[in-house]
Amino acid sequence: MQDEVYMARALKLAQRGRFTTHPNPRVGCVIVRDGDIVGEGFHLRAGEPHAEVHALRMAGDKARGATAYVTLEPCSHHGRTPPCCDALIAAGVSRVVAAMQDPNPQVAGRGLYRLQQAGVEVSHGLMMSEAEQLNKGFLKRMRTGFPWLQLKLGASLDGGTAMASGESQWITSPQARRDVQRLRAQSHAILTSSATVLADDPALTVRWEELDADTQASYPQENLRQPVRIVIDSRNRVTPEHRIVHQPGETWFARTDEDSRQWPDGVSTLNIPAHNGQLDLVLLMMQLGRRQINSVWVEAGPRLAGALLQAGVVDELIVYVAPKLLGSDARGLCVLPGLEKLADAPQFRFNEIRQVGPDLCLHLTPAP
Ligand code: AOF
Ligand code: ZN
């Protein structure tokens, strides 16, 4: 019972890295001796100390004989930083409780094994599902090589996303757009299409001043980090004049054809083969995984939305529903041609339903 209280605290600490740790996981650590928390910490950024190191530094000598609660198996490898299991052993920690094993093949059980070999009492699995939720992106990439993909959609009650004229700003409320800023901020990358860039000329950045007050409080402005912007542009239609290439951070173009134009700093190209005349989305996702992208947040039109669903690369739908009717001439949520039988209709499960201002936000996952 007490163990759960400390692990819940470690999970809460880990959350504080949710905007900044990628490509690393979010990890929290709490060190307890004789019922007192003597050290705690979380991982903030790749290249900087891991959660355990921060907690051990705070605990100092009090770590001797203490229990360490960690949301992920302590690492056993020399990466950008030395192994945390060695640091825990050296500090004399006598028990380690991990919420889950680290699927990173460089670790994968070796951290816990090394601790056990050194005489530390070890257990894992406490609050594992909460720990899984915390790192959906990192865990999916480590297990499959693919990033976690969230498809964001915004629509009226009758599924309309734009009037026949193309007018679409704004269907959802300012509160929903603020919520989108928060979810963008937690993503490693934002994916869109050239069609969206040509139609709306979006910046696709996180604007700190547009985040809600709670998010701002846990994400100091000096830590602000822009998700990588990825634009699928098979026909090289986006130009160096578009706003997206003039924002802070990186923009990656996924192309099927050569492009020799001059681009501002921060712009690079991924060459992706075509499949039936279209850029191969599965190969794009594999390429993003190889480049250590943990999670992808998609903001695009109905064509890319439909193509991603058909390619089977969508892990989660985030749908904002505005209490309006756009009528039967409106444009729809996603282009999914050729569906004839109900049995072939893609199905989802509701995982979360939130009211956001006047709108609803629905979180769904594909039904198996
Ligand atoms: C932990 N605690 O706080 C983190 C862990 O390149 P490095 O040295 O930062 O190592 C990154 C890997 O270490 C990462 O892929 C994951 O397996 C583990 N991250 N482990 O025990 C932490 N950030
Ligand atoms: Zn570590």
Side-chain angles (χ1 to χ4, degrees):
M1 200 55 219
Q2 275 303 320
D3 281 353
E4 290 207 358
V5 173
Y6 297 125
M7 188 59 85
R9 172 80 192 147
L11 286 161
K12 207 158 173 77
L13 286 163
Q15 281 279 356
R16 289 172 55 188
R18 67 194 183 279
F19 305 105
T20 46
T21 62
H22 36 264
N24 275 2
R26 299 139 180 180
V27 184
C29 176
V30 170
I31 299 179
V32 177
R33 194 166 85 170
D34 302 328
D36 289 330
I37 294 183
V38 293
E40 53 179 36
F42 63 96
H43 187 52
L44 180 64
R45 259 189 220 101
E48 294 184 11
H50 289 179
E52 299 89 322
V53 172
H54 285 298
L56 286 170
R57 279 184 192 161
M58 182 172 158
D61 289 344
K62 296 195 183 115
R64 197 153 294 282
T67 298
Y69 296 85
V70 203
T71 59
L72 188 70
E73 172 181 6
C75 66
S76 55
H77 69 301
H78 286 268
R80 282 164 279 226
T81 65
C84 292
C85 64
D86 294 353
L88 290 160
I89 294 164
V93 167
S94 60
R95 179 172 169 240
V96 170
V97 181
M100 61 180 297
Q101 291 195 25
D102 184 349
N104 182 350
Q106 291 179 290
V107 183
R110 274 190 289 276
L112 294 175
Y113 180 73
R114 290 245 300 263
L115 288 164
Q116 204 168 37
Q117 290 300 300
V120 178
E121 183 189 338
V122 164
S123 68
H124 67 89
L126 179 70
M127 303 184 82
M128 185 160 70
S129 60
E130 288 85 344
E132 284 268 348
Q133 291 297 316
L134 187 67
N135 282 310
K136 283 186 198 155
F138 172 81
L139 296 171
K140 182 172 177 204
R141 179 168 69 81
M142 284 298 160
R143 288 169 180 155
T144 68
F146 284 80
W148 179 262
L149 187 137
Q150 294 175 301
L151 175 59
K152 176 253 172 185
L153 300 163
S156 64
L157 265 187
D158 51 348
T161 56
M163 305 309 283
S165 66
E167 182 189 358
S168 64
Q169 287 178 336
W170 299 101
I171 295 168
T172 53
S173 62
Q175 292 94 321
R177 298 204 295 280
R178 203 172 271 273
D179 200 60
V180 166
Q181 279 285 321
R182 179 178 63 86
L183 294 172
R184 269 187 192 177
Q186 293 181 32
S187 303
H188 196 164
I190 301 177
L191 176 69
T192 194
S193 65
S194 55
T196 297
V197 175
L198 265 59
D200 302 339
D201 197 17
L204 294 182
T205 49
V206 174
R207 267 95 57 186
W208 192 85
E209 56 291 348
E210 291 177 30
L211 295 168
D212 61 89
D214 282 353
T215 302
Q216 286 181 342
S218 52
Y219 190 17
Q221 194 167 10
E222 62 269 22
N223 290 351
L224 184 65
R225 169 174 179 188
Q226 292 298 336
V228 179
R229 295 172 292 277
I230 302 164
V231 185
I232 298 178
D233 190 9
S234 329
R235 279 169 287 160
N236 298 347
R237 293 190 300 163
V238 176
T239 71
E241 280 70 52
H242 282 105
R243 286 173 67 218
I244 195 159
V245 297
H246 299 282
Q247 307 303 319
E250 292 184 47
T251 307
W252 298 354
F253 283 100
R255 304 187 186 283
T256 51
D257 287 331
E258 288 299 314
D259 172 79
S260 55
R261 288 170 291 176
Q262 279 295 315
W263 294 91
D265 283 352
V267 175
S268 51
T269 293
L270 313 181
N271 292 304
I272 309 293
H275 177 71
N276 294 337
Q278 300 279 330
L279 183 138
D280 191 319
L281 295 170
V282 173
L283 293 180
L284 171 61
M285 291 308 143
M286 280 173 69
Q287 183 62 242
L288 297 183
R290 251 183 247 137
R291 289 177 179 238
Q292 300 199 304
I293 297 290
N294 283 353
S295 61
V296 177
W297 170 261
V298 186
E299 290 193 43
R303 265 176 210 288
L304 183 57
L308 289 165
L309 286 165
Q310 280 184 324
V313 295
V314 176
D315 293 297
E316 205 173 357
L317 296 185
I318 311 288
V319 190
Y320 293 89
V321 183
K324 294 176 188 163
L325 296 171
L326 298 196
S328 48
D329 293 338
R331 299 185 186 175
L333 202 57
C334 53
V335 176
L336 283 174
L339 276 180
E340 280 173 16
K341 292 199 287 294
L342 207 43
D344 297 333
Q347 287 204 41
F348 302 88
R349 220 185 359 237
F350 290 108
N351 285 331
E352 198 180 321
I353 301 169
R354 297 182 285 133
Q355 175 122 23
V356 181
D359 303 327
L360 282 185
C361 179
L362 314 173
H363 293 226
L364 306 97
T365 42

